[in-house]
Every structure is written in structure tokens, then in C-alpha cells.
Amino acid sequence: MNSTRRTGGSGTRARRVVWAVAAAAAAIASVSALSGFHVPLREIDPRGADAASEVATAELIGIRTFTAPADIAVEADVEYGVREDGTLLTLDVCTPAGAVLTDEPLPAVVSVHGGSWARGDKGNADWRGVCLWLASEGFVAASVNYRLVPDAVFPAAIDDVALAVEWLRDPEQSERFGIDPARIGAFGGSAGGSLAALLGTTGEGPLDEGSRVAAVAELSGPVGLGAADLVSDGASDWLQRIVGEYLDCEPGASDEECPQAADASAASFADPSDPPFFIGHAEAEVVPLGQSERLATALTAAGVSAELAVVPGSDHSIGILDAAMRARVAAFLHAHLG
């Protein structure tokens, strides 16, 4: 990372920490306040292709090779917040079998779906599979929905994901779901990987407070959204277009013309306070490998543990989450969440 980006990222980090705390407090308060103002609630409701997984093929690959135990409990469409425009934010909670039989709080993992920041859903077949897989590993998994392009652009999605972490950490919710609030991690793929990575590097201070997380595992995330990074990685016109739509910038806009690109790029905020990372990527997939390599390099340079796992082929996101990758991700999460 060049020194200009690092210096700019540091100043932005301080502004975002203060702003995020205020935004989260306002969002929590809005649940009761909105009822007084009679703002009509509206759910995030992707339909048809918009609800589909980012794994475009019909093949049985990645997470689709996982068979879930029958005794995992799923509580769907749990409300975790309401935004000022009335958008209702929900998540699904997958709880390990037998968890209700013990008083020992469990580690939790927030699961963030992909879909170009514009589509996808926490409850589609592939991401429900992720939720069930994480629960089968002994984690309380919370699969979140967040606001989507074009109705909402950056930073709406990351604000929603951060709010979900704070909501889960609240004593009422952590007791409700049997979560240890000091052991919350994040997992994401594709656009969800971008958000999970940004969640991990944004903010400073203890990893068991606010929206901070203790570990991040992400697959195929576009994590360097500046024009210079995308061009140097050989990003396709498609990737540059969806990044522009997410950032509310013209595709190919320079970093000066689209300053929010740095704010949306996880590497901009890498510093020694960040949690350990697991970064998975396929050699020849739609998101250039250089994206993950850059994040791993920035984290390592900041003194943060970063494991980069590169697999052959062109499968993307949870399309590479086969048995071998699941074992590696699970081992990483167990090591850092206990």
C-alpha cells in the first residue's frame, strides 16, 4: 500500500469510528422512534434472480457439497434494526444442536451473503447452507440481510452489518441466543467478503466491543475498490461497473473523483489492532486474485495474522467452499474464537 493511501485511511478511520457509533445508536433508537412517526416499514425483498446465490452454476460445488445435520435449529427473519427510511433489517440464526442443553455461551459468526452488493439473500439455498455449516461446527451463526444497490449505496451495507454485530453483542440478544459477546467473528463471500473484511479493519480498540469482531474469514472479496487497484489487477469492465454502482461513482472514476473508494476498501484501514484474517481465493475467478493478495500484504505489513489460501480453477466465493476449504476455514475460526 502506498503512503498516500495509508495516511488518508488513518484519518478516515477516526472519522468513521465516531460516525459509526453515532449511526448505530441512532439506528437502535429508530426502532421505537419510527413507530411514533408512522414511517411505513418495508422489508428487503429480493425476488427471482435477485434472491439467487452468487454461485451462478447449477453444479454441486463448494457449499453445495455440505449435508447439514437434521437437528440444527433455525430462527428465520429475526429483526435486528429499522433504518430511517423504514427498511426492516433481518437475520437468520442457526444454533448448534444441543446448545439449549448447556449454560456455556458459544462463539458466534456473522455470515454475510454476496451478490454484487445489489442482490442475494441470507436465506437462499447456498447461504442457508453456510449458516447450517457454521452451526454444525459449534458456532451460533447469524446470516444477515443488508440494504442493496440501487436503493442504497455505500456505506449503507457496511453500516447494516456493523449494526448486526452490535445488536448480537447487546446483553439481551447474547443471552437470548447463548452467545459469548467476546467471541464474535465474521464470514463472507464475494461482496459479502468485501463487507466482512471492511468490518474487520474498520474501527480501533478491543475486539469484543461495539461492532468489532475477533476473527474474519472471507472468500473472493473485492477489497481494493480504488481505480488504481482495479486497473492494476486487470479488473473486468463488469467488476468496475458494479463497484461504481456500489460507490455511487462513474465506472472507472479516478480515486480523486471517487474518494469513497478508499473508505470502502479494507486495506485502507489495516493496522495492528485488527483481528486475524483468513482469505480464500481461486486463481482464475471473476474477482482478480490481486485483490486478495493486496489485502493479505497490507494486513501482514500492519502486523496482523493473515492466512491466504489460493485454490486452482475459476469458481467464486462459496463455490470454493468445498470440504477441504470448509476444514481450513473452520480450523481458523476455532483457533481464534475458541
Side-chain angles (χ1 to χ4, degrees):
M1 185 185 342
N2 62 52
S3 59
T4 301
R5 171 64 56 82
R6 185 65 184 89
T7 301
S10 178
T12 303
R13 173 194 287 271
R15 292 194 299 272
R16 281 186 56 79
V17 170
V18 174
W19 180 78
V21 170
I28 293 171
S30 70
V31 175
S32 57
L34 281 172
S35 61
F37 288 102
H38 304 290
V39 175
L41 298 180
R42 58 185 185 88
E43 297 184 14
I44 299 170
D45 186 24
R47 298 178 180 84
D50 289 341
S53 168
E54 68 271 20
V55 183
T57 178
E59 295 180 74
L60 294 178
I61 60 172
I63 190 59
R64 297 172 185 172
T65 63
F66 172 71
T67 301
D71 49 1
I72 294 174
V74 178
E75 187 173 351
D77 300 323
V78 180
E79 299 175 15
Y80 73 88
V82 179
R83 288 306 186 187
E84 293 81 358
D85 64 356
T87 301
L88 183 66
L89 301 174
T90 62
L91 52 79
D92 298 342
V93 178
C94 298
T95 304
V100 295
L101 303 180
T102 176
D103 292 330
E104 186 71 21
L106 298 174
V109 177
V110 173
S111 175
V112 191
H113 72 79
S116 306
W117 302 283
R119 57 183 177 82
D121 184 75
K122 61 180 175 50
N124 69 38
D126 288 341
W127 282 94
R128 175 57 56 81
V130 171
C131 192
L132 295 171
W133 161 64
L134 289 168
S136 78
E137 289 288 343
F139 304 104
V140 176
S143 187
V144 302
N145 268 357
Y146 51 88
R147 287 171 291 172
L148 301 170
V149 173
D151 293 334
V153 295
F154 178 82
I158 186 60
D159 290 342
D160 294 348
V161 174
L163 178 62
V165 176
E166 293 206 4
W167 184 86
L168 288 167
R169 183 164 276 141
D170 180 86
E172 180 180 352
Q173 308 308 329
S174 59
E175 182 176 351
R176 172 184 177 183
F177 296 113
I179 292 171
D180 181 348
R183 295 187 291 160
I184 299 178
F187 174 84
S190 192
S194 174
L195 294 170
L198 188 58
L199 180 70
T201 61
T202 300
E204 296 173 309
L207 300 178
D208 58 357
E209 295 180 358
S211 62
R212 301 229 72 193
V213 290
V216 173
E218 67 97 348
L219 306 178
S220 307
V223 290
L225 304 187
D229 289 347
L230 292 170
V231 170
S232 68
D233 290 340
S236 66
D237 290 343
W238 168 81
L239 181 56
Q240 294 188 55
R241 176 181 58 80
I242 66 168
V243 167
E245 291 171 349
Y246 170 55
L247 299 176
D248 197 24
C249 295
E250 289 297 321
S254 69
D255 293 342
E256 291 73 21
E257 294 168 329
C258 187
Q260 57 266 47
D263 292 350
S265 299
S268 299
F269 303 107
D271 77 11
S273 76
D274 295 336
F277 268 69
F278 179 96
I279 304 166
H281 212 104
E283 287 180 333
E285 63 164 275
V286 65
V287 174
L289 176 58
Q291 291 276 301
S292 286
E293 291 175 332
R294 181 178 294 102
L295 177 59
T297 298
L299 290 166
T300 301
V304 178
S305 172
E307 178 181 351
L308 176 61
V310 181
V311 299
S314 59
D315 293 324
H316 174 64
S317 182
I318 51 175
I320 65 172
L321 194 59
D322 58 11
M325 184 64 81
R326 290 196 298 273
R328 294 187 68 171
V329 174
F332 167 83
L333 292 172
H334 283 300
H336 297 288
L337 298 180

